[in-house]
Amino acid sequence: MPLTAQFALLAEVSADFLILPIFEEEAPAGALAQLDARLGGVLTRLRQSGDITGKANEITPLLDRAGAATTRLLAVGLGKRSAADQFALRDAGAAASRALTDRPRQRLAMALPDGLDAAASAHALGVGLLQGCDGPGIRKSKPERFAPQELWLVAPPAAPIDAVREATHRAAIEGKAIALARELVNLPPSELYPESFAARATQVAGASGFTCTILDEKQLEAERMGALLAVARGSDRPPRLIVLRYNGGNRPLLGLVGKGVTFDSGGLSLKSSEQMADMKCDMAGAAAVLGAVSAIAELRLPVSVLGVLAVVENMPGGRAMKLGDVLHARNGKTIEVLNTDAEGRLILADALSYAVDQKASHLVDLATLTGACMVALGEDVAGLMGNDPAWSDNVLAAAWRAGERAWPLPMFPAYGELIKSNVADIKNITGKRFAGAITAAKFLEHFVGTVPWAHLDIAGPAWADAESPTRDAGGTGAFVRTLIELAREYK
């Protein structure tokens, strides 16, 4: 499904549907006004009658409209011009393509909005269009969504051609990376488990141009990854550590670490059926890192990246770790286990330690780590914590540039007192209801040494319980774009 930039008058564009971005409380202007004139003023009349308002993500189909090469149009609202940022444009693109992918189409074309930076608009709209073409029904016997054969972004002939083409190219690669992360999260856990995840990562690496090394159980034992191995003991599926490397030049090494629990039953601290229903998504952090590294490699960014994916199943088998066990992590720290459902921080402990020893200059980890973060920030915002304010600020800025939402939480030393153990160096839960997201981050802080590190708790935004006009239920591909944007600016 290629996404390409075209430079033409809107009336001359030939497609199954031409998507028209409409601002709220504004009459058609620029290229849209020219098309409106060719259509006999239909857009103006519909604005005046209130049938098209331009409110954010409002969808209005206009069928069999003579006067242009494309007779079927779809108006999509952008909201007020003052609020037309990356978030709004991406959502508008997704809403439009979701509305049109209910049946096979050869070509969908979307006009760039008048008066905004053409390249930035192409990037955001392109990612949104691609996002709206794929749904979670990957195992339905009859498909309900049909990706078009072609997607066009249509700019005026006077637009900066090279900039728009480059932005469209970026959007195409980022959209593919997000789709990869979403697909992995949406796969059934009987199909995606540590070994199959590793096989898929190897395949992606070969196609995108980076290296992938897989560490099996014996190698994990040799690496002293006692915390990760303990989590995996209850499952018949052996764990894997997936190590991704992309060398874009002689640059400091950016380390990206992802939590990859392909299914989380809770272990002996067993979840309820309701809590367990969507736990195939507990590997969304690892999926985001794999998607991001694939895009970084395909974009040929001048950066060196290390990706470390800790991939396990957490199951309540006869050899499963038990409450009261003391684990020996890779860096020598001992951990008292008081809840086997606080397993993500255990596998990340060894993965972060490994990334430190691989000489990563800066670290970011992504994890669907705590329900407490969702209580604090809701379902659409990630929690951001770290040991270096300047580095955390860089990660936060990258998220906002990418059109994703994160918010910092405090890391005061007093929170660390809550995870001190009587029998080991630290314990994996506090036993209290308070500050759960922060104390989990304080736990991870024990395994990064002095390396600047940021932790993104993506438990909320990584998964959508229900569909909306702009996104499907299931995996969202959250924070793939943030990691790509971070790598673009990393020096």
Side-chain angles (χ1 to χ4, degrees):
M1 180 181 49
L3 173 73
T4 58
Q6 306 293 326
F7 301 85
L9 299 175
L10 295 181
E12 298 173 356
V13 173
S14 178
D16 293 87
F17 265 90
L18 175 60
I19 303 165
L20 306 176
I22 306 291
F23 285 110
E24 189 174 356
E25 299 176 357
E26 286 190 19
L32 204 59
Q34 295 175 3
L35 177 64
D36 189 34
R38 290 282 294 269
L39 296 172
V42 64
L43 298 176
T44 298
R45 292 195 299 275
L46 290 172
R47 290 297 302 268
Q48 292 171 345
S49 67
D51 292 305
I52 294 178
T53 68
K55 290 181 179 178
N57 306 319
E58 175 191 70
I59 297 293
T60 309
L62 307 174
L63 306 179
D64 197 21
R65 297 290 176 176
T70 299
T71 60
R72 292 186 292 179
L73 312 173
L74 185 82
V76 58
L78 296 180
K80 290 183 170 58
R81 181 180 290 272
S82 60
D85 56 12
Q86 293 284 303
F87 300 93
L89 293 173
R90 181 198 59 204
D91 283 353
S97 57
R98 286 192 78 246
L100 296 175
T101 52
D102 61 333
R103 64 193 68 182
R105 315 275 189 193
Q106 174 64 33
R107 179 184 300 146
L108 300 179
M110 185 167 193
L112 300 186
D114 177 67
L116 298 182
D117 180 272
S121 298
H123 182 219
L125 288 173
V127 169
L129 281 172
L130 290 166
Q131 176 183 314
C133 289
D134 290 314
I138 55 179
R139 292 295 179 268
K140 287 183 179 287
S141 57
K142 293 183 179 179
E144 296 177 347
R145 301 283 289 283
F146 300 86
Q149 296 299 307
E150 296 179 272
L151 283 172
W152 284 5
L153 291 171
V154 184
I161 293 176
D162 290 344
V164 172
R165 282 180 174 164
E166 180 186 0
T168 303
H169 177 65
R170 279 182 58 196
I173 290 175
E174 290 179 14
K176 184 171 72 169
I178 293 168
L180 169 63
R182 291 176 63 198
E183 178 198 355
L184 291 170
V185 172
N186 287 330
L187 280 173
S190 60
E191 295 183 27
L192 189 76
Y193 45 89
E195 292 161 297
S196 63
F197 197 131
R200 184 63 181 279
T202 301
Q203 178 189 40
V204 171
S208 298
F210 60 94
T211 64
C212 178
T213 304
I214 310 300
L215 276 62
D216 63 17
E217 310 97 292
K218 289 185 178 179
Q219 291 165 305
L220 295 174
E221 289 173 3
E223 287 286 346
R224 310 178 312 281
M225 293 194 178
L228 186 153
L229 287 164
V231 174
R233 279 204 309 259
S235 174
D236 290 336
R237 302 285 193 186
R240 293 291 184 264
L241 192 79
I242 303 170
V243 182
L244 316 175
R245 292 183 183 274
Y246 167 72
N247 184 6
N250 187 20
R251 302 290 183 93
L253 185 62
L254 173 62
L256 307 177
V257 178
K259 173 188 172 184
V261 181
T262 57
F263 187 75
D264 181 17
S265 71
L268 293 181
S269 303
L270 195 66
K271 295 178 183 287
S272 68
S273 294
E274 181 181 1
Q275 293 169 324
M276 211 185 297
D278 59 6
M279 280 299 103
K280 66 180 183 180
C281 84
D282 213 18
M283 35 58 66
V289 172
L290 178 59
V293 174
S294 72
I296 290 165
E298 291 188 28
L299 289 167
R300 302 295 183 260
L301 296 183
V303 62
S304 293
V305 176
L306 168 73
V308 181
L309 316 183
V311 189
V312 302
E313 275 189 347
N314 185 26
M315 298 292 285
R319 296 180 61 248
M321 66 176 174
K322 304 169 181 66
L323 277 69
D325 277 351
V326 174
L327 312 181
H328 293 262
R330 185 178 185 279
N331 70 345
K333 295 276 186 177
T334 56
I335 305 165
E336 181 185 11
V337 176
L338 296 179
N339 188 321
T340 65
D341 197 22
E343 84 299 330
R345 65 202 69 182
L346 299 177
I347 66 172
L348 286 173
D350 283 340
L352 286 166
S353 172
Y354 181 87
V356 169
D357 283 353
Q358 297 300 306
K359 307 303 182 185
S361 297
H362 292 80
L363 286 170
V364 180
D365 79 76
L366 289 88
T368 48
L369 204 63
T370 67
C373 198
M374 298 171 67
V375 172
L377 297 175
E379 296 180 334
D380 297 320
V381 181
L384 172 64
M385 291 145 275
N387 64 353
D388 184 284
W391 178 235
S392 293
D393 287 347
N394 283 343
V395 175
L396 183 62
W400 285 92
R401 288 196 307 271
E404 300 189 284
R405 293 178 173 89
W407 199 252
L409 296 174
M411 288 281 282
F412 302 134
Y415 290 115
E417 297 295 315
L418 300 176
I419 57 170
K420 285 187 174 180
S421 167
N422 292 327
V423 300
D425 296 324
I426 49 177
K427 53 189 178 182
N428 74 330
I429 62 165
T430 67
K432 298 182 179 180
R433 297 172 50 215
F434 310 114
I438 298 170
T439 53
K442 293 300 287 186
F443 178 96
L444 297 179
E445 191 176 17
H446 282 266
F447 302 93
V448 298
T450 60
V451 177
W453 153 79
H455 162 62
L456 283 165
D457 190 330
I458 60 171
W463 180 265
D465 285 325
E467 68 175 22
S468 72
T470 63
R471 72 180 184 188
D472 290 283
T476 64
F479 287 85
V480 170
R481 288 185 65 202
T482 293
L483 297 183
I484 299 168
E485 186 63 29
L486 186 65
R488 285 176 61 84
E489 300 295 328
Y490 186 69
K491 296 180 176 62

